[in-house]
Amino acid sequence: MGEKVVAGPFDLSDRQHYREKLRRCLTGLERLLVEKRFDRPKNFMGVEIELNLAGADGMPRMLNGQVLERIASRDFQTELAMFNLEVNIAPHRLGGRVFDQLAEELRTSLAYADRKASEVDAGIVMIGILPTLGRDDLVSSNLSEVDRYALLNDQIVTARGEDFTLDIEGVEHLTCTSKSIVPEAACTSLQLHLQVTPARFADVWNAAQVASAAQIAVGANSPFLFGHELWRESRPPLFLQSTDTRPPELQAQGVRPRTWFGERWVSSAYELFEENLRFFPSLLPMCDEEDPLAVLDAGGVPKLAELVLHNGTIYRWNRPVYGIADGVPHLRVENRVLPAGPTITDVIANAAFYYGLVRALAEEPRPVWTRLPFETAEANFDNACRYGIDARFVWPRRGRYGGTAEVDAVTLVRDELLPLAEAGLDAWGVEPADRDLYLGVIEERCRRRVNGASWQAATFHRALEQGHTRLSALAATTRRYRELMHIGDPVHTWPVGLREPVPTS
């Protein structure tokens, strides 16, 4: 969905032609795989972070067009709503001091963006869901002024045929409806890309699925939506419900949602792209002029434009990606599990934990996914979203007895997964200084049982105890979060509570 598209009406022949082109693209992908045309291993990784714009009062600012005009950098682009931005960091080779390099690039980029945003009384807030967002902020009039977002909204609304229902029961219970997909814009994420060869793709994707629960447990940062305290990581249920093209009848029939964890372990990248065609009708049936099979016959590399566009409208938490760089096709696993923030140090720590853990899990002699039912991995993910750092998982037992057992997420991460992540980073060739610094952040979160979500919730409740109203407590929590985010110390060191006085009225 990152490509520019032009809005326009679609008729029946457009959809039929698009389906035919998708099939040709899938055949083209299969030929590329059989002919071993994909890039050789380069250990490339990439990072994207979605951001919020908020004012000094902690409230959202619908100003991304003006801010982007001032930033004037290709590294920054629009996201779904006017209070969103996205920053993209150029691909890096995993190894050496890569994580310190990424941290420095992000500090420079976000500090510059924040200075430019301040020119229009706004600032950058890197957080999973901005606590001060209200229902009136998430309406279609606040869509970014880019054709593709309006078109995507129109097509999903048309496919659903009725209002979207949000029904999330956590610490509190939120129920409301929306006439557009804009509530999805509340979800701001950290997206981690890893380029892999076709031969390694399935193992890396399966490993990423296994790792996702632990990622959320230590990295949750989205406890509030529309003034309600919900799940510790409320993005997944919000994203699922705000993009759900299925009316209740189709849900009852077991039709898959466009936002999903998946339903099975895989043995190739092809399976995921094929599933996307088999299960999901097109939302944006726009055809490119390229004939992918003719391009292959001529010895070229096809763009597979229809396949790429369709893939971008299916929101797997670990998404397969086809791309071309320097004229050579490649595959990536895009990990979309984590929220943005809280600080750059926390973001890099989350990335180091992921890249190390996925490498180690993918190379185990007896991979976890051969000993863990897929449904259990999905249940672990849901539990992590609900309870964050306090979640409990079902995990394969170590030793000769086999089977599974329930384990505290913190214990699992500290005793089993962090040593695996350390070994994985060593295998990537990451310098011990980087490895120890950033995995040490994850270890300290476990020791103190603190992540962004637990800090937000504790600070919000402290503000209520001090006499703030509910809305002023959310705003004060956001302001304090933004202040500490820019100081930059990792979230496990943040003092709970506010520095500012309680308002007298």
Side-chain angles (χ1 to χ4, degrees):
M1 280 307 299
E3 299 296 324
K4 291 183 179 179
V5 298
V6 178
F10 302 122
D11 59 28
L12 297 179
S13 62
D14 289 327
R15 295 189 182 278
Q16 291 173 327
H17 183 44
Y18 187 79
R19 184 179 290 110
E20 293 166 3
K21 284 295 297 285
L22 276 175
R23 287 291 170 192
R24 292 182 71 80
C25 284
L26 189 64
T27 301
L29 176 68
E30 186 176 29
R31 280 183 53 179
L32 286 166
L33 290 166
V34 169
E35 294 169 11
K36 299 184 179 345
R37 297 278 299 277
F38 283 88
D39 202 0
R40 299 296 183 265
K42 290 184 178 177
N43 296 349
F44 276 154
M45 50 88 75
V47 176
E48 301 172 279
I49 308 176
E50 296 164 347
L51 307 165
N52 290 278
L53 292 173
D57 57 0
M59 306 305 290
R61 292 287 188 271
M62 308 297 165
L63 295 169
N64 65 357
Q66 297 178 46
V67 173
L68 285 169
E69 185 178 346
R70 285 165 169 78
I71 293 173
S73 168
R74 292 182 179 179
D75 292 342
F76 288 83
Q77 62 186 35
T78 57
E79 260 300 324
L80 183 61
M82 291 182 180
F83 60 89
N84 296 145
L85 300 176
E86 182 175 88
V87 59
N88 299 291
I89 299 299
H92 285 62
R93 191 182 301 274
L94 266 165
R97 300 302 301 272
V98 64
F99 294 115
D100 259 1
Q101 294 168 18
L102 283 169
E104 187 57 35
E105 289 178 32
L106 280 170
R107 286 189 187 98
T108 301
S109 294
L110 294 188
Y112 173 72
D114 194 62
R115 288 197 303 273
K116 290 300 179 181
S118 69
E119 295 174 7
V120 290
D121 188 29
I124 301 295
V125 182
M126 189 166 55
I127 193 169
I129 297 175
L130 195 65
T132 50
L133 282 170
R135 290 177 60 186
D136 290 344
D137 297 315
L138 294 170
V139 293
S140 56
S141 59
N142 284 334
L143 279 169
S144 291
E145 294 178 351
V146 179
D147 279 345
R148 67 176 182 269
Y149 299 127
L151 183 55
L152 181 66
N153 177 68
D154 291 346
Q155 293 302 303
I156 292 180
V157 169
T158 299
R160 183 172 175 85
E162 58 188 74
D163 288 353
F164 297 86
T165 299
L166 302 183
D167 188 345
I168 306 172
E169 187 164 6
V171 177
E172 298 171 318
H173 191 184
L174 170 68
T175 57
C176 63
T177 60
S178 173
K179 296 187 179 299
S180 73
I181 67 168
V182 185
E184 174 204 331
C187 305
T188 44
S189 305
L190 167 65
Q191 293 155 23
L192 302 173
H193 291 253
L194 179 60
Q195 184 177 329
V196 295
T197 61
R200 292 195 64 202
F201 183 95
D203 286 345
V204 171
W205 187 84
N206 290 336
Q209 291 285 92
V210 167
S212 61
Q215 288 180 273
I216 288 290
V218 298
N221 195 29
S222 313
F224 297 107
L225 176 65
F226 299 162
H228 290 68
E229 185 178 355
L230 301 174
W231 294 12
R232 284 301 181 248
E233 187 51 51
S234 303
R235 288 167 41 260
L238 170 59
F239 209 112
L240 186 154
Q241 295 177 21
S242 62
T243 60
D244 201 345
T245 55
R246 308 167 303 163
E249 295 81 6
L250 292 184
Q251 294 179 35
Q253 293 174 36
V255 173
R256 285 101 177 152
R258 297 189 85 94
T259 298
W260 70 328
F261 188 79
E263 60 188 22
R264 63 190 176 101
W265 308 118
V266 302
S267 59
S268 72
Y270 178 87
E271 294 175 29
L272 296 176
F273 287 101
E274 190 277 333
E275 275 187 352
N276 287 352
L277 268 65
R278 181 156 42 96
F279 292 153
F280 301 103
S282 64
L283 290 177
L284 301 169
M286 295 175 295
C287 291
D288 188 82
E289 294 180 357
E290 175 190 80
D291 181 341
L293 301 185
V295 172
L296 277 169
D297 290 340
V301 176
K303 296 181 293 182
L304 306 184
E306 293 82 6
L307 188 73
V308 169
L309 179 60
H310 184 62
N311 190 57
T313 65
I314 297 154
Y315 306 103
R316 296 178 183 268
W317 294 111
N318 287 289
R319 175 190 275 167
V321 178
Y322 170 87
I324 301 173
D326 300 323
V328 182
H330 66 264
L331 292 172
R332 303 194 303 274
V333 174
E334 180 190 17
N335 178 258
R336 303 161 50 81
V337 166
L338 288 163
T343 67
I344 290 169
T345 298
D346 288 303
V347 164
I348 300 301
N350 289 339
F353 181 55
Y354 169 73
Y355 287 116
L357 182 58
V358 162
R359 172 74 184 254
L361 289 174
E363 295 182 352
E364 281 192 307
R366 288 187 63 212
V368 170
W369 57 90
T370 65
R371 297 174 283 140
L372 189 72
F374 192 91
E375 296 77 10
T376 304
E378 184 176 16
N380 287 342
F381 178 72
D382 286 342
N383 284 335
C385 293
R386 284 180 181 273
Y387 304 114
I389 203 83
D390 297 318
R392 296 185 65 82
F393 300 150
V394 172
W395 198 259
R397 287 192 183 95
R398 287 185 286 184
R400 61 182 179 176
Y401 297 107
T404 59
E406 189 174 276
V407 61
D408 181 83
V410 161
T411 302
L412 177 68
V413 170
R414 188 178 54 216
D415 294 350
E416 187 169 342
L417 302 187
L418 274 172
L420 283 172
E422 182 176 340
L425 293 181
D426 288 343
W428 287 121
V430 171
E431 289 286 339
D434 265 22
R435 177 200 68 199
D436 295 344
L437 171 63
Y438 292 108
L439 292 187
V441 170
I442 304 298
E443 185 174 15
E444 281 298 299
R445 286 191 213 153
C446 291
R447 188 177 71 83
R448 304 188 192 195
R449 301 187 80 93
V450 171
N451 58 20
S454 67
W455 181 90
Q456 287 187 58
T459 296
F460 167 72
H461 287 288
R462 182 75 59 83
L464 291 179
E465 292 166 3
Q466 293 173 345
H468 279 270
T469 66
R470 191 177 187 84
L471 292 179
S472 72
L474 288 167
T477 298
T478 304
R479 292 192 294 270
R480 181 62 170 152
Y481 178 103
R482 179 181 169 189
E483 176 188 357
L484 292 168
M485 183 200 84
H486 285 293
I487 291 172
D489 296 330
V491 72
H492 68 262
T493 68
W494 289 9
V496 171
L498 312 173
R499 288 203 315 168
E500 56 193 55
V502 178
T504 57
S505 62

